[in-house]
Amino acid sequence: MNCFCLTVAGEEMFNSLSLLQCETLCLRRYLKTSHKLYSATYDPNEKTFEKLLIANRGEIACRVIKTCKKMGIKTVAIHSDVDANAVHVKMADEAVCVGPAPTSKSYLNMDAIMEVIKETRAQAVHPGYGFLSENKEFARRLAAEGVTFIGPDTHAIQAMGDKIESKLLAKNAKVNTIPGFDGVVKDADEAVRIAREIGYPVMIKASAGGGGKGMRIAWDDEETREGFRFSSQEAASSFGDDRLLIEKFIDNPRHIEIQVLADKHGNALWLNERECSIQRRNQKVVEEAPSTFLDPETRRAMGEQAVALAKAVKYSSAGTVEFLVDSSKNFYFLEMNTRLQVEHPVTECITGLDLVQEMIRVAKGYPLRHKQADIPINGWAVECRVYAEDPYKSFGLPSIGKLSQYQEPLHVPSVRVDSGIQQGSDISIYYDPMISKLITYGSNRAEALKRMEEALDNYVIRGVTHNISLLREVIIHPRFVRGDISTKFLPEVYPDGFKGHKLTDLERRELLATAASLYVAEQLRSQRFLGTPRIPIAKSKRSSWELSVHLGDGIYPVAVSKDGSSFSVEVDGMKLNVTSEWNLASPLLSVTIDGTQRTIQRLSRNASGSTSIQFLGTVYKLQILTKVAAELSKYMPEKAAEDTSSILRSPMPGAVVAVSVKPGDMVLEAAWFVAT
């Protein structure tokens, strides 16, 4: 086990700790090291609420609890039965189970949550994002019980949470809007008719939705019918509301949003923009603030329209107005999210504000403490959403499992990690597979991106497949670095799907040299006797090794010679000097190759010489053999590939909701089925 307790206590003391003591130490460290990079002040004399319930789970519940602790507010966590040992449950002052794993029976179970509020006498509720955060009925029920909802009132939730009504209000507030049908689509036939009138392509999306859920792009009648069916199903499942709307799909836009903050006294601010164009399946993957694309005039125009919309509905809380921006910097209202956004940390980094604190203050009735002229853009912040997903499948299909080893890169300067998991946590099929939000800050964009690259290399996640390889490739891609991005970035850059990092010749030699040095270092360690007076019969004076390294489709002869703590490695007729402390017990290994520092992770190895190494974000499989073993291996029979001709295997975990065939039907090779 690799955890904070082992680091601070030592192995002997660690072995004497109970599981509860270990978890307590880890939790204290989590609270101290996470959630940094903003400079908000907390006035202990400013009274708000004595007790607040968080109607959410995971990282956002933890995020709210941290601010509440700083404000002196006691917290109540709710959880499903499978979340009984979740981090947010341990962090809160009180925790109550509200039902079984399915969200409809737990985190969306208003009756159960209302009962917990009464039992715990919570004075206020913060809904986080998702779940009930934009549910007007939940806000209404809270108001009826005299409980404060940390968010806007029911009128604003109704007006802005409904995509149809919000679009009409935006038009009346003179906010630029996308052409489309201003009403509810009744059925698939009407959807086709409307789509034809608007002109393909069109966007079908949930009226009550957000976060990319219930959204489909249709390019023809058939896709419109399919999109209507799937979007309505997903909308009903995610939001309890299957109403859909259709609007013109703006091809190749940027997705840029404005953070707004308003109080109950008529004051409203725009807190600059967030660039959210890197997406897959209409869900954001990488965000940054500010945007490389906006000039001061466009930023001001977008901010003023966002504030005008907020004032039009008497909005009071933190909210986000999302826009699509074309190549000519024309911008169009997309939707308003009446809640805290997932990507809010980048705004906190460049403004110094704690948005959760501001939401709580506004809900209590305090006026805003700042004027528009006070809102700065200090530096640059980048956020990567780290998911338990396989990026090699449609840029990310969910992965499940237990985090057998987990270490956040908090030792890297100016890094913030918002997470709701720890080593031993389960990533299940029931909830979003997000592991964390990884945020880096710099005085400029180049500095923030360089720190993100370092943070991703130093992030240890074992037990589940994750998307770090994709995130790292995105932030170092020349197009991204120069700010040439749109919502089509991923399919344009990777038209055949993501394949991982493509090694240059130099990088290939660095990987081969590192792997060979690691192999030799391990061989030398295995010859040492520690903690015993036993003396070897004969000292090994071996100082050179001839190896054969199999990487991809190539087999490479590699010669290694030892020189003190360094290795001189010859690959492709070129010599490389490889230096490291060779701490083989550490999940992270810092290696210097001809003066270039790399952080690698060895994920696995076995007796046959096979090893997996995470290098430049991507995991590479190698086999390292001695020259003799390599020559003999050609006589070994190859393992037969698995026969999958009679197997229908789902590419991701989930429940089969529809099978479009019945016994006796003819199934062609190109046929497909849907599992969600």
Side-chain angles (χ1 to χ4, degrees), residues 373-532:
D374 300 332
I375 305 303
I377 297 181
N378 287 331
W380 212 283
V382 179
E383 174 180 294
C384 286
R385 299 192 189 188
V386 181
Y387 281 101
E389 291 182 340
D390 186 347
Y392 300 94
K393 297 177 180 178
S394 301
F395 300 113
L397 291 185
S399 168
I400 59 173
K402 184 183 290 291
L403 288 167
S404 57
Q405 195 168 20
Y406 183 74
Q407 183 175 307
E408 295 173 348
L410 295 167
H411 60 284
V412 179
S414 298
V415 167
R416 167 177 166 178
V417 183
D418 281 16
S419 66
I421 49 89
Q422 61 185 2
Q423 187 164 298
S425 293
D426 285 308
I427 307 295
S428 72
I429 64 172
Y430 299 108
Y431 311 115
D432 188 89
M434 180 186 285
I435 293 173
S436 74
K437 299 179 312 197
L438 177 63
I439 306 102
T440 57
Y441 175 80
S443 58
N444 54 52
R445 188 170 187 259
E447 187 176 285
L449 289 176
K450 189 63 182 174
R451 284 175 175 163
M452 179 61 74
E453 186 180 341
E454 184 180 358
L456 290 168
D457 284 341
N458 283 270
Y459 207 146
V460 178
I461 303 171
R462 309 282 170 82
V464 296
T465 305
H466 54 74
N467 67 334
I468 281 180
S469 56
L470 174 63
L471 296 173
R472 195 183 190 282
E473 285 302 292
V474 167
I475 65 164
I476 67 171
H477 195 279
R479 270 190 58 179
F480 182 85
V481 171
R482 65 176 180 263
D484 178 17
I485 61 176
S486 73
T487 55
K488 284 190 171 182
F489 179 88
L490 290 179
E492 286 178 352
V493 172
Y494 309 106
D496 299 321
F498 180 67
K499 307 296 183 183
H501 181 71
K502 185 177 181 180
L503 294 169
T504 64
D505 288 341
L506 174 60
E507 290 168 346
R508 176 179 55 81
R509 288 192 292 269
E510 288 181 348
L511 175 57
L512 292 170
T514 301
S517 300
L518 189 58
Y519 172 85
V520 172
E522 190 164 50
Q523 295 299 309
L524 292 173
R525 188 184 70 164
S526 68
Q527 298 171 9
R528 294 160 58 197
F529 293 89
L530 301 178
T532 174

Side-chain angles (χ1 to χ4, degrees), residues 55 72 83 85 93 158 228 263 267 281 319 331 335 369 378 383 445 532 543 582 645 649 655 664:
D83 271 347
N85 294 314
D93 297 292
Q158 165 68 35
F228 181 88
D263 62 23
N267 304 306
R281 298 190 298 279
F331 57 91
E335 63 183 11
R369 297 177 292 178
N378 287 331
E383 174 180 294
R445 188 170 187 259
T532 174
S543 60
W582 304 114
S645 60
R649 183 171 290 161

